[in-house]
Amino acid sequence: MVFRLLGLATAAAILAGAGSAPAATLTIGTSAEPSSLDPHYHNLGPNTRARKHVFESLVGFDAKMRLQPELAESWRAVDDTTWEFKLRKDVKFHDGSPFTAQDFVYTVCRIPNVANSPSSFTVYTKGIAAIEVPDPHTLVIKTGKPYPLLPAELATFGIISAKAAGGEQVTFDKAGCKADSWPTSQAFNDGTLMIGTGPFKHKEYVKGGRQVLERNPDYWGPKPAWDTVVFRPITSDGPRVAALLAGDVDMIETPPVQDMERLKGTPSVTLAQAQSARVIYLALGVQDTPPTITGTDGKNPLKDARVREALSLAVDRDAIVKRVMQGVAEPANQFLPAGFFGNNPDVKVHTDAAKAKKLLEEAGYPKGFQLTLGTPNDRYINDDKVAQAVAQMFTRIGVQTKVDATTANVFFSKRNKQEYSVFLAGWQADSGEMSSPLKALVATPIKDKGYGTTNYTSWSDPEFDGMLDTALATVDDAQREKLLQAAVKRAMDATIIVPLHYEVTVWAMKKGLSYEPRADQYTLAAKVVPAQP
Amino acid sequence: MSAAREESPLRRLARDFARSRVAVVGLAVLVLVMLAAVFAQLVAPQDPYDLAQLDIMDSLQPPGTAGGAGWTYWLGTDDQGRDLWSAIVFGLRTSLEVGILATLIALAVGVAVGMLAAYAGGAVDGAIMRLVDIQLSFPAILIALILLALLGKGVDKVIVALAAVQWAYYARTVRGSALVERRKEYVEAARCLALPHSRIMLRHLLPNCLPPLIVVATVQVAHAIALEATLSFLGVGVPVTEPSLGMLIASGYGFMLSGNYWVSLFPGVALLVVIVAINLVGDRLRDVLNPRLSH
Amino acid sequence: MIVFILRRLTQSAVVIAAMAVLVFTGIFAIGNPIDVLISPEADEVERAAAIARLGLDQPMHVQFARFVESAVGGDLGTSFVHGVPALGLVLQRFPATLELALAAMLLAVLLGIPLGLWAGLKPDSVAGRVIMTGSILGFSLPTFWVGMMLIMAFAVQLGWLPAGGRGQTASLFGIQWSFLTRDGLAHLILPAINLATFKLSLVIRLARAGTREVALQDYVKFARAKGLSPARVVGVHILKNIMIPVVTVLGLELGSVIAFSVVTESVFAWPGMGKLLIESILQLDRPVVVAYLLLTVLLFVVINLVVDLIYSMLDPRIRLGGGRA
């Protein structure tokens, strides 16, 4: 305790220019643990958070999820299907070897070859048709068709050292690269291959216990303020807050919204919060036989646009944000908040219970019907509580609603089998742009286009799909944004997805630290700074 | 049932029971609680399961706040705007139902199986005890978790799951004490008289195995209620829209640090009162029923 | 004796096989792990590829046959979530749980037997009543609530003890233990108390019930009449007789303490295998759940065997081998 305070004081002193001093340690309590340290094993939030400390990507995101240079200092679209990336020349891996284009080539080759990977990053590399390396610090990437999302997708995976993995001779082949063997995930977990270019070096990893990192003294970018960073997974909300209040950790991720008032009133704690790219929504199923609607003689009332609109009008988003989310959320009117690429400022949603009742009557349901709303109870912030509040609001306009709240393992299997007429879920746009939710939630499921992967509503609108096709083939950003905004309007008019709110991500830390809150929800130790004295 | 000669056994039991004043108080509380649970609609001003009666804008009101519908939230409201007093009364019903039914089912199954094992011995005993081993080697919480995940949500399902978790304890306990009793003279004597097996088991073995069973069963009603709370805490258990006491505590868990103490405190107190009452009654019953302690 | 042990072991093998089938089908029925594990951004192609990588594209019985085949060779499969051998994952977490469970049992016995004896010998004294009321409370409160209260009181309000985690560990026999360091011991106290509460109440009750029965029996009355000192009567005659139920129950309970550490480990972020189990169930990580259960069952079988052996030593009336000898 005393040591840590001393550490903080000295860290502040360093920043104030007081010269070298003893070690500064930052301990962070995380809400989830990575499933592996292998940066390509599992496309999952906590894994990416861990990866970003040690391994970097060509392109990065700033705190507002806008693209920014990382290992590539610049890039441009040469033509509709060709991109050129200029790499930084001053970058060294943790073992001292220089970073070159071959490391990128090897990384792209390795990604499809991770044994037992439950969710691989191939979704982000499949757009690459060919890679040319004119010189060690230039990459020319060809895509099969116009692919505006390429830079954003290159921001999702970390680059490993080809030399450390013995892959200096491996060349890219769309059909599958050739190598004698590929690195195992185990080699990352035990630290052997934890050689990246990031601001921190790997030091120690005890599964379920802690991950220890130390500063990379040769980092090309701004040096982090911390000599040592310790990540401790504390997955239960209460104990995580308690650990911060007790001084066991210096900073925690996502304190529960219920404790926000208390944390705000605690003088030794500061908070940082940012709107995230995750929308919590209701999906209204238009199946011919509704799985969880009764009282309609087997018909599905949700096939009637008026009924869907009525349900959307019944929802009081301000009440949900204020009462259930304790103010730590933003009411949502579309799939991504204002400021994100593709947000359409003209799209609005309203609350009007009287009009909702009238619409139900017009549609032939003056007495409403019975509905079961599916929701996970351990996936999103207060998910089952939000669902209950929604059920209240539906019941009030005459749609008697029950809530079926289950753990995520049961919920997602049921939802994916379309066993709910209406379900609550969340969508986070990893690329930070509108095409992601539109493609996944609204588009008709089309296998080879990767459309409708999370469309469990049986909704299909060919005209919308066409609009999306055009937008996704438009490399010019300004033009694409217009096309996406038009698609958003069309999707919202259909009321197939009812947006509820955008989650707000919160970090709580000891007084004396500051953190620029990030829309992508990641906790990056390098960006945690001791406040100026 | 053989008739009593001087005084009916039930009357004697009642008289013995009444000697402990604490136990009588416990019984009185228990009866009150049961009445409140049975007549929940009359006792509670609000039906907390009727979503149309709830208002999210009334959520997390402190005790004593005036409610919109003309009555006062004497114990405050929870995060969905449920009147806590009403929620506790209705929750009591669910918790008691779960605890008592699960224990009774488990007890019946366990006693039957345990007695059979002890009395039959040999291969039957071996097979049954191996089954008990299988059962006991599964962590209770896991069976309940898996069962409930398979069955879905609902009070009936929780009862089945809890009974499935508990029967083996009784079987083992019954067998253990029956094994000891079986060797005693009175059983040998009964056997020499060539009394039917069922009679020996029911009239001679069972009463003597009962005292430890009552200790376990008392404990298990409480345990069942607590286990149900834990399952709710883990996200299976009863439906969120029809909370039991355990569920109320579990959802109040998140509000503990924030100062909304009433959400978990009052249901916690209610749970405590119920369980202490059950235990007081059970303890006394055990003392009264144990033939070696009654004089 | 050897015949008895052999028979037990054969029976146990059957138990383990039956359990493997049960858990395998049980988790298969809950849902598809890919639904939980895969990134929402993944497309159909990637989904199919991931399912194939984890071997989930095969029908149930083929998956089970594969599992049995490799299980015979000691390989219980690779974790769907973590991509490392499941058994290794569980074993790595085992010492933490064992340490916690043993600490809790030790607390329960060391405090429970004397308290239960006292309450049994002087049932009507104030102390006796307080002890019994305390034991009722110990039963009543859900573990997670008690844990949270402990954290609130001792970590947040008083600041005496850490709120969670395992703290510093030191190595003994090549395994990391918390109780060997000051910091680790401080981390161990609250979770151990939390886990012990329930068992402590159970031990108190058993000891009290046993004491009350035994104290009234003729041989104890006789021993008293003979003029033996009260300490000797309690220490030899009573203690020995109440140990029978206590030992049986404790034997049974060690397994359940290990299993029930699930909740305590979640509340205190204790990196044991109970926490691993809960996470694995929530993510439908079947190999880990199966490995955990097989290990627990094995442990349980061994404990049962030992309990029965001790039982027969303490109570010569019970004979091994099913009773009909």
Side-chain angles (χ1 to χ4, degrees), chain B residues 4-27:
Chain B
R5 251 153 264 159
E6 67 278 70
E7 192 182 19
S8 84
L10 213 62
R11 183 176 287 243
R12 203 192 47 188
L13 192 104
R15 191 168 45 81
D16 285 351
F17 185 90
R19 274 203 207 117
S20 163
R21 214 169 292 158
V22 193
V24 173
V25 173
L27 187 64

Side-chain angles (χ1 to χ4, degrees), chain A residues 238-239 241 258-259 262 319 322-324 326 377 384-385 388-389 391-393 395-396 401 403-405 407 410, chain B residues 51-52 54-61 79-80 82 149 153 234-236 240-242 251 253-255 257-258:
Chain A
V241 174
Q258 295 87 324
D259 293 339
R262 182 192 164 107
K322 200 164 154 226
R323 307 306 311 196
V324 185
Q326 314 276 313
N377 60 12
D384 58 334
K385 298 187 168 146
Q388 285 182 72
Q392 276 186 29
M393 293 160 184
T395 305
R396 207 157 292 143
T401 307
V403 175
D404 179 22
T407 42
V410 179
Chain B
L51 289 176
L54 306 185
D55 188 349
I56 189 74
M57 295 315 285
D58 272 355
S59 65
L60 295 176
Q61 297 298 314
D79 55 304
Q80 289 297 321
R82 275 186 208 100
K153 295 220 160 196
L234 294 173
V236 285
V240 272
T241 43
E242 292 170 22
S251 49
Y253 167 84
F255 296 95
L257 288 169
S258 59

Side-chain angles (χ1 to χ4, degrees), chain B residues 149-186:
Chain B
L150 293 179
L151 296 172
K153 295 220 160 196
V155 173
D156 48 340
K157 283 144 191 168
V158 175
I159 292 174
V160 170
L162 291 183
V165 166
Q166 293 182 348
W167 71 272
Y169 289 99
Y170 299 107
R172 198 166 241 265
T173 316
V174 169
R175 175 182 173 268
S177 27
L179 268 187
V180 177
E181 296 293 331
R182 210 167 72 95
R183 306 254 152 205
K184 293 202 171 147
E185 294 85 353
Y186 70 95

Side-chain angles (χ1 to χ4, degrees), chain A residues 58 81-83 85 104 128 130-131 139-143 150 154:
Chain A
L58 279 194
T81 58
T82 311
W83 294 77
F85 289 82
F104 175 79
I128 301 173
I131 307 175
L139 276 165
V140 175
I141 298 176
K142 301 261 188 200
T143 58
L150 186 75
L154 294 185

Side-chain angles (χ1 to χ4, degrees), chain A residues 160-237:
Chain A
I160 59 173
S161 160
K163 178 165 168 264
E168 285 154 300
Q169 303 308 322
V170 173
T171 52
F172 181 76
D173 181 350
K174 176 80 178 152
C177 312
K178 303 262 177 313
D180 297 335
S181 66
W182 298 101
T184 60
S185 298
Q186 181 54 32
F188 290 92
N189 285 333
D190 65 21
T192 327
L193 285 182
M194 289 296 281
I195 296 163
T197 59
F200 290 98
K201 289 183 174 182
H202 170 81
K203 191 172 172 201
E204 191 197 358
Y205 176 53
V206 180
K207 205 160 185 36
R210 63 184 175 273
Q211 185 192 4
V212 184
L213 302 169
E214 58 186 7
R215 177 170 34 207
N216 172 12
D218 303 321
Y219 186 53
W220 57 268
K223 308 263 187 305
W226 312 102
D227 296 297
T228 309
V229 173
V230 182
F231 281 102
R232 271 182 50 195
I234 310 177
T235 48
S236 312
D237 284 340

Side-chain angles (χ1 to χ4, degrees), chain B residues 194-257:
Chain B
L195 292 176
H197 290 316
S198 59
R199 191 178 157 84
I200 295 179
M201 284 212 257
L202 286 178
R203 299 279 303 150
H204 297 275
L205 275 179
L206 188 57
N208 285 289
C209 300
L210 261 175
L213 267 189
I214 288 180
V215 183
V216 178
T218 320
V219 164
Q220 289 299 336
V221 173
H223 188 189
I225 294 176
L227 191 59
E228 181 269 317
T230 307
L231 286 170
S232 300
F233 175 65
L234 294 173
V236 285
V238 300
V240 272
T241 43
E242 292 170 22
S244 63
L245 277 187
M247 187 79 193
L248 284 175
I249 299 178
S251 49
Y253 167 84
F255 296 95
M256 239 177 242
L257 288 169

Side-chain angles (χ1 to χ4, degrees), chain C residues 33-114:
Chain C
I34 283 296
D35 289 332
V36 188
L37 294 177
I38 202 157
S39 157
E41 302 244 346
D43 54 19
E44 275 305 309
V45 181
E46 161 54 13
R47 207 181 129 83
I51 288 177
R53 271 197 299 271
L54 298 186
L56 294 168
D57 50 342
Q58 303 295 320
M60 224 310 270
H61 63 272
V62 177
Q63 292 184 37
F64 188 69
R66 279 187 188 172
F67 163 74
V68 171
E69 202 177 312
S70 54
V72 171
D75 174 13
L76 294 182
T78 302
S79 159
F80 294 156
V81 179
H82 305 274
V84 295
L87 187 61
L89 207 59
V90 177
L91 283 177
Q92 191 192 358
R93 301 280 196 102
F94 183 59
T97 298
L98 187 68
E99 179 174 23
L100 181 60
L102 288 179
M105 286 305 250
L106 206 66
L107 268 180
V109 172
L110 289 186
L111 291 176
I113 290 185

